[in-house]
Amino acid sequence: MEKLPYLVESQQLSQELIFELFKRADTLRKTPSRTLYGKVLATLFYEPSTRTRLSFETAMLRLGGQVVSTENAKEFSSAVKGESIEDTARIVGAYADCIVMRHYEDGAAKRAIAVSKKPVINAGDGRGQHPTQALLDLYTIYREIGRVENITVAMVGDLANGRTIRSLSYLLGKFKGIKIIFVCPQNLCVGNDIKEYLTRHNVKYSEETDLAKVLPTADIIYMTRIQKERMSEEDYKKSKGKYTLNMESLKLVKPNSRILHPLPHVEEIDFTIEAEENDKRIAYFRQAENGLYIRMAILEHLLG
Ligand code: CP
C-alpha cells in the first residue's frame, strides 16, 4: 500500500488509502495500541482550536507516544519575533517525529513541508484546506449511512471561507454518484476552484437559496459556521442567521439522513440538548469523536 510522506490536502488521499484508514480507525476504536511508543508529536497552532489539537494530542498519547505543543503559536512561539514558517518547521522537526500545524495563512503547511525532514500534517491553513477534518467527515458518513457513494450532500453556510468545505468537496469528488447542493448567503458562495474541480471529476452540483426545499432531499446536511473572523463586519451582518437548523426545520430532514457540522457551531444550530442526545439524525458529536480514531490511524500511517 502507498505511504504518504505528509498530509496537506485531500487530493493526496486515494480511495484505497481512505478505506485502509477507516478500517484501522475501526480497529483502534476497539483495541488499545501502543504502536507509537518512543515517538514525539509537535502541535503548532497559530489559530485557536479545541477538537483538532486535543484529538491529535490524545491520539498520540493513546498510541503510546508523547506530545510537545504550542497552543497559541502566533503569540507564544518565536513567530512573534519574526521567525519564518520554514525556520520553525526545520527547528521543530529536529525535536519531534511529526508536526501538526494550524496556521492563519493559506499555503502555510505547504511551505512547511517544502523544508521539513519530518512529516507535516495540515490541521487547517487559512481558507485553504483541513484534510483530516474531511477524512473524519467522510468516515462519519461511512459509519452513519453505510456508504460513501450515491449520496446527496447539502453544504450549508459560509462556503467562501470554509476550508472544511473545500477539503470535503475534493474528497467526495473521488467517489461515484455524489451530488452536492450548495446553500449559502449570496456574499459567501462556494469558490470557482471547487466548482471546477467537481466538474472535472464529474460530480453533479447545484446552488440553492431555499434551505427548506433542500432539507427533504439530502442524505447529509453539512452545516458550517459563518466565519466572522475572516470577513468584514458588513459581510457578517448580511449573512448572520440566514441559515439555521432548529426543531422546526428538523421535521423536514429524512429519518435516515444525518446532520453533520465540523464544529464549533453558533446560531446556525438551534436544537434542544434533548434532541442532540436522542435524535440519531444529529450526528455532529459522534463526528467529533470519530476524529480521534481517524487521527490515530493517520499518525500511525505517517509515523508507524
Ligand atoms: N473542526 C475543527 O477544526 O474544530 P477546532 O477548530 O476546534 O479544531
Side-chain angles (χ1 to χ4, degrees):
M1 222 238 319
E2 71 187 302
K3 183 142 168 61
L4 297 180
Y6 52 79
L7 181 54
V8 292
E9 55 188 18
S10 293
Q11 298 94 305
Q12 287 177 260
L13 296 159
S14 66
Q15 271 202 29
E16 188 194 5
L17 179 56
I18 290 168
F19 286 117
E20 194 64 37
L21 291 168
F22 287 1
K23 203 168 130 195
R24 187 62 188 148
D26 283 344
T27 303
L28 288 165
R29 183 187 295 270
K30 294 182 215 132
T31 320
S33 173
R34 310 288 286 173
T35 45
L36 297 187
Y37 177 79
K39 303 276 186 188
V40 176
L41 174 71
T43 55
L44 291 179
F45 277 66
Y46 296 81
E47 272 191 345
S49 167
T50 297
R51 279 144 291 273
T52 312
R53 187 172 69 82
L54 294 180
S55 63
F56 261 118
E57 293 183 0
T58 308
M60 190 63 179
L61 296 172
R62 285 193 184 275
L63 289 168
Q66 290 176 298
V67 176
V68 290
S69 180
T70 166
E71 65 167 311
N72 183 359
K74 195 174 176 184
E75 214 178 310
F76 295 127
S77 78
S78 284
V80 84
K81 301 174 213 163
E83 187 164 64
S84 67
I85 291 169
E86 287 81 359
D87 280 5
T88 305
R90 280 180 286 188
I91 299 298
V92 176
Y95 305 149
D97 299 291
C98 180
I99 300 171
V100 174
M101 189 171 91
R102 169 169 291 185
H103 203 281
Y104 48 88
E105 277 177 25
D106 299 21
K110 280 191 178 164
R111 283 175 58 192
I113 59 135
V115 295
S116 178
K117 291 188 176 63
K118 300 291 169 58
V120 174
I121 301 173
N122 181 5
D125 60 330
R127 294 178 178 84
Q129 286 229 15
H130 194 351
T132 65
Q133 178 69 45
L135 197 61
L136 77 88
D137 294 341
L138 196 71
Y139 179 55
T140 304
I141 294 171
Y142 183 65
R143 284 181 61 84
E144 297 279 335
I145 304 271
R147 64 183 193 281
V148 291
E149 293 186 340
N150 302 314
I151 49 172
T152 298
V153 180
M155 296 191 182
V156 185
D158 181 353
L159 307 185
N161 296 299
R163 54 198 174 202
T164 66
I165 292 292
R166 174 168 292 97
S167 288
L168 183 58
S169 296
Y170 283 12
L171 212 52
L172 287 169
K174 292 172 180 285
F175 296 91
K176 284 191 204 132
I178 301 292
K179 190 175 167 212
I180 303 181
I181 309 171
F182 296 115
V183 185
C184 50
Q186 227 168 19
N187 55 331
L188 297 176
C189 285
V190 73
N192 284 335
D193 64 317
I194 298 178
K195 290 186 197 170
E196 282 160 19
Y197 178 92
L198 295 176
T199 304
R200 272 202 313 282
H201 289 79
N202 299 316
V203 178
K204 285 189 191 148
Y205 71 84
S206 59
E207 291 171 278
E208 293 286 346
T209 50
D210 187 352
L211 181 58
K213 206 171 108 190
V214 170
L215 290 178
T217 70
D219 302 302
I220 296 293
I221 298 135
Y222 191 90
M223 297 297 291
T224 62
R225 177 178 66 91
I226 305 294
Q227 299 202 22
K228 188 180 181 186
E229 67 278 21
R230 298 195 203 281
M231 67 185 71
S232 66
E233 191 59 33
E234 192 190 337
D235 269 331
Y236 183 63
K237 276 186 193 150
K238 269 192 219 164
S239 49
K240 182 184 177 318
K242 190 145 173 61
Y243 294 110
T244 299
L245 282 188
N246 53 30
M247 296 308 292
E248 200 52 35
S249 49
L250 186 59
K251 291 178 189 158
L252 300 172
V253 176
K254 292 188 289 182
N256 289 325
S257 295
R258 292 293 184 270
I259 297 162
L260 304 188
H261 194 309
L263 302 178
H265 79 71
V266 282
E267 78 281 340
E268 72 280 3
I269 297 283
D270 186 19
F271 296 136
T272 61
I273 289 182
E274 193 195 356
E276 287 183 322
E277 294 293 320
N278 299 313
D279 192 318
K280 70 176 175 45
R281 294 172 296 176
I282 302 173
Y284 39 78
F285 291 116
R286 294 192 295 280
Q287 178 187 3
E289 185 184 342
N290 288 337
L292 172 63
Y293 304 110
I294 274 294
R295 289 179 172 129
M296 287 171 85
I298 292 167
L299 288 175
E300 265 195 351
H301 177 82
L302 291 172
L303 284 167

Coordinates of all heavy atoms in Angstrom, one line a residue, residues 121-194:
I121 N 1.4 17.5 9.1 CA 0.0 17.4 8.9 C -0.6 18.7 8.9 O -0.5 19.5 9.9 CB -0.6 16.5 9.9 CG1 0.1 15.1 9.9 CG2 -2.1 16.3 9.7 CD1 -0.4 14.2 11.0
N122 N -1.4 19.1 7.9 CA -2.1 20.3 7.8 C -3.3 20.3 8.7 O -4.3 19.5 8.3 CB -2.4 20.7 6.3 CG -3.2 22.0 6.2 OD1 -3.3 22.7 7.1 ND2 -3.6 22.3 5.0
A123 N -3.4 21.0 9.8 CA -4.6 21.0 10.6 C -5.4 22.2 10.4 O -6.2 22.6 11.2 CB -4.1 21.0 12.1
G124 N -5.3 22.7 9.1 CA -6.1 23.9 8.7 C -5.2 25.1 8.4 O -4.4 25.5 9.3
D125 N -5.2 25.5 7.2 CA -4.4 26.7 6.8 C -5.3 27.8 6.2 O -5.7 27.6 5.0 CB -3.3 26.3 5.8 CG -3.8 25.7 4.5 OD1 -4.8 25.0 4.5 OD2 -3.1 25.9 3.5
G126 N -5.6 28.8 6.9 CA -6.4 29.9 6.5 C -7.7 29.4 5.8 O -8.4 28.6 6.4
R127 N -8.0 29.9 4.6 CA -9.2 29.4 3.9 C -8.9 28.2 3.0 O -9.6 27.9 2.2 CB -9.7 30.6 3.0 CG -10.2 31.8 3.7 CD -10.6 32.8 2.8 NE -11.2 34.0 3.4 CZ -10.5 35.0 3.9 NH1 -9.2 35.0 3.8 NH2 -11.1 36.1 4.5
G128 N -7.7 27.7 3.2 CA -7.2 26.6 2.3 C -7.8 25.3 2.5 O -8.9 25.0 2.0
Q129 N -7.2 24.4 3.3 CA -7.7 23.0 3.5 C -7.6 22.6 4.9 O -6.9 23.2 5.7 CB -6.8 22.1 2.6 CG -7.2 22.2 1.1 CD -7.4 20.8 0.5 OE1 -7.6 19.8 1.1 NE2 -7.4 20.8 -0.8
H130 N -8.3 21.5 5.2 CA -8.3 20.9 6.5 C -8.5 19.4 6.2 O -9.6 18.8 6.5 CB -9.4 21.5 7.3 CG -9.4 21.2 8.8 ND1 -8.5 20.3 9.4 CD2 -10.1 21.7 9.9 CE1 -8.7 20.2 10.7 NE2 -9.7 21.1 11.0
P131 N -7.5 18.7 5.7 CA -7.8 17.3 5.2 C -8.1 16.3 6.2 O -8.9 15.4 5.9 CB -6.4 17.0 4.5 CG -5.4 17.9 5.1 CD -6.1 19.2 5.4
T132 N -7.6 16.4 7.4 CA -8.0 15.4 8.4 C -9.5 15.6 8.9 O -10.1 14.6 9.2 CB -7.1 15.4 9.7 OG1 -7.2 16.6 10.4 CG2 -5.6 15.2 9.2
Q133 N -10.0 16.8 8.8 CA -11.4 17.1 9.1 C -12.2 16.4 8.0 O -13.2 15.7 8.3 CB -11.7 18.6 9.1 CG -13.1 18.9 9.4 CD -13.7 18.5 10.8 OE1 -13.0 18.8 11.7 NE2 -14.8 17.9 10.9
A134 N -11.8 16.6 6.7 CA -12.6 15.9 5.6 C -12.6 14.4 5.8 O -13.6 13.8 5.5 CB -12.0 16.4 4.3
L135 N -11.5 13.9 6.2 CA -11.4 12.4 6.3 C -12.3 11.9 7.4 O -13.0 10.9 7.3 CB -9.9 12.0 6.6 CG -9.6 10.5 6.4 CD1 -9.9 10.1 4.9 CD2 -8.2 10.2 6.8
L136 N -12.3 12.7 8.5 CA -13.2 12.2 9.6 C -14.7 12.5 9.3 O -15.6 11.8 9.7 CB -12.8 12.9 11.0 CG -13.2 14.3 11.3 CD1 -14.6 14.5 11.9 CD2 -12.2 14.9 12.2
D137 N -15.0 13.5 8.4 CA -16.3 13.8 7.9 C -16.8 12.6 7.1 O -17.9 12.1 7.2 CB -16.4 15.0 7.1 CG -16.1 16.3 7.9 OD1 -16.2 16.3 9.1 OD2 -15.7 17.3 7.3
L138 N -15.9 12.2 6.2 CA -16.2 11.0 5.3 C -16.4 9.7 6.1 O -17.3 8.9 5.8 CB -15.2 10.9 4.2 CG -15.6 10.1 3.0 CD1 -16.6 10.8 2.1 CD2 -14.4 9.7 2.1
Y139 N -15.5 9.6 7.1 CA -15.6 8.4 7.9 C -16.9 8.4 8.7 O -17.6 7.3 8.8 CB -14.4 8.4 8.9 CG -14.3 7.3 9.9 CD1 -14.3 6.0 9.5 CD2 -14.2 7.6 11.3 CE1 -14.2 4.9 10.5 CE2 -14.1 6.6 12.2 CZ -14.1 5.3 11.8 OH -14.0 4.3 12.8
T140 N -17.4 9.5 9.1 CA -18.7 9.6 9.8 C -19.8 9.3 8.8 O -20.7 8.5 9.2 CB -18.9 11.1 10.4 OG1 -17.8 11.3 11.2 CG2 -20.2 11.2 11.1
I141 N -19.7 9.8 7.6 CA -20.8 9.4 6.6 C -20.8 7.9 6.4 O -21.8 7.3 6.4 CB -20.5 10.2 5.2 CG1 -20.6 11.7 5.4 CG2 -21.4 9.7 4.1 CD1 -20.2 12.6 4.3
Y142 N -19.6 7.3 6.3 CA -19.5 5.9 6.0 C -20.1 5.1 7.2 O -20.8 4.2 7.0 CB -18.0 5.6 5.9 CG -17.7 4.2 5.6 CD1 -18.0 3.6 4.4 CD2 -16.9 3.4 6.5 CE1 -17.7 2.2 4.1 CE2 -16.6 2.1 6.3 CZ -17.0 1.5 5.1 OH -16.7 0.2 4.8
R143 N -19.8 5.5 8.4 CA -20.3 4.8 9.6 C -21.8 5.0 9.8 O -22.6 4.1 10.2 CB -19.6 5.3 10.9 CG -18.2 4.7 11.0 CD -17.6 5.2 12.3 NE -18.3 4.8 13.5 CZ -18.1 3.6 14.1 NH1 -17.3 2.7 13.6 NH2 -18.8 3.3 15.2
E144 N -22.3 6.2 9.5 CA -23.7 6.6 9.7 C -24.7 6.1 8.6 O -25.8 5.7 8.9 CB -23.8 8.1 9.9 CG -23.1 8.7 11.1 CD -23.8 8.5 12.5 OE1 -25.0 8.4 12.5 OE2 -23.1 8.5 13.5
I145 N -24.2 6.2 7.4 CA -25.1 6.0 6.2 C -24.7 4.6 5.6 O -25.6 4.0 4.9 CB -24.9 7.1 5.1 CG1 -25.2 8.4 5.7 CG2 -25.7 6.8 3.9 CD1 -26.6 8.9 5.7
G146 N -23.5 4.1 5.9 CA -23.1 2.8 5.4 C -22.5 2.8 4.0 O -22.2 1.8 3.5
R147 N -22.3 4.0 3.4 CA -21.7 4.1 2.1 C -21.2 5.5 1.9 O -21.6 6.4 2.6 CB -22.7 3.7 1.0 CG -23.8 4.7 0.9 CD -24.9 4.3 -0.2 NE -25.8 5.4 -0.4 CZ -26.8 5.8 0.3 NH1 -27.1 5.1 1.4 NH2 -27.5 6.8 0.0
V148 N -20.3 5.6 0.9 CA -19.8 7.0 0.6 C -20.0 7.3 -0.9 O -19.6 8.2 -1.4 CB -18.3 7.2 0.9 CG1 -18.1 7.2 2.4 CG2 -17.4 6.1 0.3
E149 N -20.8 6.4 -1.5 CA -21.2 6.6 -2.9 C -22.7 6.8 -3.0 O -23.4 6.5 -2.1 CB -20.8 5.4 -3.8 CG -19.3 5.2 -3.9 CD -18.9 4.2 -4.9 OE1 -19.7 3.3 -5.2 OE2 -17.7 4.2 -5.3
N150 N -23.2 7.4 -4.1 CA -24.6 7.6 -4.3 C -25.3 8.3 -3.2 O -26.2 7.8 -2.6 CB -25.3 6.2 -4.6 CG -24.6 5.6 -5.8 OD1 -24.4 6.2 -6.8 ND2 -24.3 4.3 -5.7
I151 N -24.7 9.4 -2.8 CA -25.3 10.2 -1.8 C -25.5 11.7 -2.2 O -24.7 12.2 -3.0 CB -24.6 10.2 -0.4 CG1 -23.1 10.5 -0.6 CG2 -24.8 8.9 0.3 CD1 -22.3 10.6 0.7
T152 N -26.5 12.3 -1.6 CA -26.7 13.8 -1.9 C -26.3 14.5 -0.6 O -26.8 14.2 0.5 CB -28.2 14.0 -2.2 OG1 -28.5 13.3 -3.4 CG2 -28.5 15.5 -2.4
V153 N -25.4 15.4 -0.8 CA -24.8 16.2 0.4 C -25.2 17.6 0.2 O -24.8 18.3 -0.8 CB -23.3 16.0 0.4 CG1 -22.7 16.8 1.6 CG2 -22.9 14.5 0.5
A154 N -25.9 18.2 1.2 CA -26.1 19.7 1.2 C -25.0 20.3 2.0 O -24.8 19.9 3.2 CB -27.5 19.9 1.7
M155 N -24.3 21.3 1.5 CA -23.3 22.0 2.2 C -23.9 23.4 2.5 O -24.2 24.1 1.5 CB -22.0 22.1 1.5 CG -21.4 20.7 1.3 SD -19.7 20.9 0.7 CE -19.2 19.2 0.6
V156 N -24.0 23.8 3.7 CA -24.8 25.0 4.1 C -23.9 26.0 4.9 O -23.2 25.6 5.8 CB -26.0 24.6 4.9 CG1 -26.9 25.8 5.2 CG2 -26.8 23.4 4.2
G157 N -24.1 27.3 4.6 CA -23.5 28.3 5.4 C -22.4 29.1 4.7 O -22.6 29.5 3.6
D158 N -21.3 29.3 5.4 CA -20.2 30.1 4.9 C -19.3 29.2 4.0 O -18.3 28.6 4.4 CB -19.4 30.7 6.0 CG -18.2 31.5 5.6 OD1 -18.0 31.6 4.3 OD2 -17.6 32.2 6.4
L159 N -19.6 29.2 2.7 CA -18.9 28.3 1.8 C -17.7 29.0 1.1 O -16.9 28.4 0.5 CB -19.9 27.8 0.7 CG -21.2 27.1 1.2 CD1 -22.0 26.5 0.1 CD2 -20.9 26.1 2.2
A160 N -17.6 30.3 1.4 CA -16.5 31.0 0.8 C -15.2 30.9 1.7 O -14.1 30.9 1.2 CB -16.9 32.5 0.7
N161 N -15.4 30.9 3.0 CA -14.3 30.9 3.9 C -14.0 29.5 4.5 O -12.9 29.3 5.2 CB -14.5 31.9 5.0 CG -14.6 33.3 4.5 OD1 -13.6 33.8 3.9 ND2 -15.7 33.9 4.6
G162 N -14.9 28.6 4.3 CA -14.7 27.3 5.0 C -13.7 26.3 4.3 O -14.0 25.8 3.2
R163 N -12.6 26.1 5.0 CA -11.6 25.2 4.5 C -12.1 23.7 4.5 O -11.7 22.9 3.7 CB -10.3 25.3 5.2 CG -10.4 25.2 6.7 CD -9.2 25.7 7.4 NE -9.4 25.7 8.8 CZ -8.7 26.5 9.7 NH1 -7.8 27.4 9.2 NH2 -8.8 26.5 11.0
T164 N -13.1 23.4 5.5 CA -13.6 22.1 5.5 C -14.5 21.8 4.3 O -14.5 20.6 3.8 CB -14.4 21.8 6.8 OG1 -15.6 22.6 6.8 CG2 -13.7 22.2 8.1
I165 N -15.1 22.8 3.8 CA -15.9 22.6 2.6 C -15.1 22.3 1.4 O -15.4 21.4 0.6 CB -16.7 24.0 2.3 CG1 -17.7 24.3 3.3 CG2 -17.3 24.0 0.9 CD1 -18.9 23.3 3.4
R166 N -13.9 23.0 1.3 CA -13.0 22.7 0.2 C -12.5 21.2 0.3 O -12.5 20.4 -0.7 CB -11.9 23.7 0.1 CG -10.8 23.3 -0.9 CD -9.8 24.4 -1.2 NE -10.4 25.6 -1.8 CZ -10.8 26.6 -1.2 NH1 -10.7 26.8 0.1 NH2 -11.4 27.6 -1.8
S167 N -12.0 20.9 1.5 CA -11.4 19.6 1.6 C -12.4 18.4 1.5 O -12.1 17.4 0.8 CB -10.7 19.5 3.0 OG -9.5 20.2 3.0
L168 N -13.6 18.6 2.0 CA -14.6 17.6 1.8 C -15.1 17.5 0.4 O -15.3 16.4 -0.1 CB -15.8 17.9 2.8 CG -16.9 16.8 2.8 CD1 -16.4 15.4 3.1 CD2 -18.0 17.2 3.8
S169 N -15.3 18.6 -0.3 CA -15.7 18.6 -1.7 C -14.6 17.8 -2.5 O -15.0 17.0 -3.4 CB -15.8 20.0 -2.3 OG -16.8 20.7 -1.6
Y170 N -13.4 18.1 -2.3 CA -12.3 17.4 -3.0 C -12.3 15.9 -2.7 O -12.0 15.1 -3.6 CB -10.9 18.0 -2.6 CG -10.6 19.3 -3.3 CD1 -11.6 20.1 -3.9 CD2 -9.3 19.9 -3.3 CE1 -11.3 21.3 -4.5 CE2 -9.0 21.1 -3.9 CZ -10.0 21.8 -4.5 OH -9.8 23.0 -5.1
L171 N -12.6 15.5 -1.5 CA -12.6 14.1 -1.1 C -13.8 13.4 -1.7 O -13.7 12.3 -2.3 CB -12.7 14.0 0.4 CG -12.0 12.8 1.0 CD1 -10.5 12.6 0.6 CD2 -12.0 12.9 2.6
L172 N -15.0 14.1 -1.7 CA -16.2 13.5 -2.3 C -16.1 13.3 -3.8 O -16.6 12.4 -4.3 CB -17.4 14.4 -2.0 CG -17.9 14.3 -0.5 CD1 -19.0 15.5 -0.3 CD2 -18.5 13.0 -0.1
G173 N -15.3 14.2 -4.4 CA -15.0 14.1 -5.8 C -14.4 12.8 -6.2 O -14.3 12.5 -7.4
K174 N -13.9 12.0 -5.3 CA -13.2 10.7 -5.6 C -14.2 9.6 -5.7 O -13.9 8.4 -6.0 CB -12.2 10.4 -4.6 CG -11.0 11.3 -4.6 CD -10.1 11.1 -3.4 CE -8.9 12.1 -3.4 NZ -7.9 11.8 -4.4
F175 N -15.5 9.8 -5.4 CA -16.5 8.7 -5.3 C -17.6 8.9 -6.3 O -17.9 10.0 -6.7 CB -17.0 8.6 -3.9 CG -15.9 8.3 -2.9 CD1 -15.2 9.2 -2.3 CD2 -15.6 6.9 -2.7 CE1 -14.2 8.9 -1.4 CE2 -14.6 6.6 -1.8 CZ -13.9 7.6 -1.2
K176 N -18.3 7.8 -6.7 CA -19.3 7.8 -7.7 C -20.7 8.2 -7.1 O -20.9 8.0 -6.0 CB -19.5 6.4 -8.3 CG -18.4 6.0 -9.2 CD -18.8 4.7 -9.9 CE -17.6 3.9 -10.4 NZ -17.6 2.5 -10.0
G177 N -21.5 8.8 -8.0 CA -22.9 9.1 -7.6 C -23.1 10.1 -6.6 O -24.1 10.1 -5.9
I178 N -22.1 11.0 -6.5 CA -22.2 12.1 -5.5 C -22.9 13.3 -6.1 O -22.6 13.7 -7.2 CB -20.8 12.6 -5.0 CG1 -20.0 11.4 -4.4 CG2 -20.9 13.8 -4.0 CD1 -20.6 10.9 -3.1
K179 N -23.9 13.9 -5.3 CA -24.5 15.1 -5.7 C -24.3 16.1 -4.6 O -24.6 15.8 -3.4 CB -26.0 14.8 -6.0 CG -26.7 16.0 -6.7 CD -28.1 15.7 -7.0 CE -28.8 17.0 -7.4 NZ -30.2 17.0 -7.1
I180 N -23.8 17.3 -4.9 CA -23.7 18.3 -3.8 C -24.6 19.5 -4.1 O -24.7 20.0 -5.2 CB -22.2 18.8 -3.8 CG1 -21.2 17.6 -3.5 CG2 -22.0 19.8 -2.6 CD1 -19.8 18.0 -3.4
I181 N -25.3 19.9 -3.1 CA -26.1 21.1 -3.2 C -25.5 22.2 -2.2 O -25.5 21.9 -1.0 CB -27.6 20.8 -2.8 CG1 -28.1 19.6 -3.5 CG2 -28.5 22.0 -3.0 CD1 -29.5 19.1 -3.0
F182 N -25.1 23.3 -2.8 CA -24.5 24.3 -2.0 C -25.6 25.3 -1.6 O -26.4 25.8 -2.5 CB -23.4 25.1 -2.8 CG -22.2 24.2 -3.1 CD1 -21.9 23.9 -4.5 CD2 -21.4 23.7 -2.1 CE1 -20.8 23.1 -4.8 CE2 -20.3 22.9 -2.5 CZ -20.0 22.6 -3.8
V183 N -25.7 25.6 -0.3 CA -26.7 26.6 0.1 C -26.0 27.7 1.0 O -25.4 27.3 2.0 CB -27.8 25.9 1.0 CG1 -28.9 26.9 1.4 CG2 -28.4 24.7 0.3
C184 N -25.9 28.9 0.5 CA -25.1 29.9 1.1 C -25.7 31.3 1.0 O -26.4 31.6 0.0 CB -23.7 29.9 0.6 SG -23.7 29.9 -1.2
P185 N -25.4 32.2 1.9 CA -25.7 33.6 1.7 C -25.0 34.1 0.4 O -23.9 33.6 0.1 CB -25.2 34.3 2.9 CG -24.9 33.2 3.9 CD -24.7 32.0 3.2
Q186 N -25.7 35.0 -0.3 CA -25.2 35.5 -1.6 C -23.7 36.0 -1.6 O -23.0 35.8 -2.5 CB -26.0 36.6 -2.1 CG -26.5 36.5 -3.5 CD -27.6 37.5 -3.8 OE1 -27.7 38.5 -3.2 NE2 -28.3 37.2 -4.9
N187 N -23.3 36.5 -0.4 CA -22.0 37.1 -0.3 C -20.9 36.0 0.1 O -19.8 36.3 0.2 CB -21.9 38.3 0.6 CG -22.4 37.9 2.0 OD1 -23.3 37.1 2.1 ND2 -22.0 38.6 3.0
L188 N -21.4 34.8 0.3 CA -20.4 33.8 0.9 C -20.5 32.4 0.1 O -20.6 31.4 0.6 CB -20.7 33.5 2.3 CG -20.5 34.7 3.3 CD1 -20.9 34.3 4.7 CD2 -19.0 35.2 3.2
C189 N -20.6 32.6 -1.3 CA -20.8 31.4 -2.1 C -19.5 30.6 -2.3 O -18.4 31.1 -2.1 CB -21.4 31.8 -3.4 SG -23.1 32.2 -3.2
V190 N -19.7 29.4 -2.8 CA -18.6 28.5 -2.9 C -17.6 29.0 -4.1 O -18.1 29.6 -5.0 CB -19.1 27.1 -3.2 CG1 -19.7 26.9 -4.6 CG2 -18.1 26.0 -2.9
G191 N -16.3 28.7 -3.9 CA -15.3 29.3 -4.8 C -15.3 28.5 -6.2 O -15.7 27.4 -6.3
N192 N -14.8 29.2 -7.2 CA -14.8 28.6 -8.5 C -13.8 27.5 -8.6 O -14.0 26.5 -9.4 CB -14.3 29.7 -9.6 CG -15.5 30.6 -9.9 OD1 -16.7 30.2 -9.7 ND2 -15.2 31.8 -10.3
D193 N -12.8 27.5 -7.7 CA -11.8 26.4 -7.8 C -12.5 25.1 -7.4 O -12.3 24.0 -8.0 CB -10.6 26.6 -6.8 CG -11.0 26.7 -5.4 OD1 -12.1 27.4 -5.1 OD2 -10.3 26.2 -4.5
I194 N -13.4 25.1 -6.4 CA -14.2 23.9 -6.0 C -15.1 23.5 -7.1 O -15.2 22.3 -7.5 CB -14.9 24.2 -4.7 CG1 -14.0 24.5 -3.6 CG2 -15.8 23.0 -4.3 CD1 -14.6 24.8 -2.2

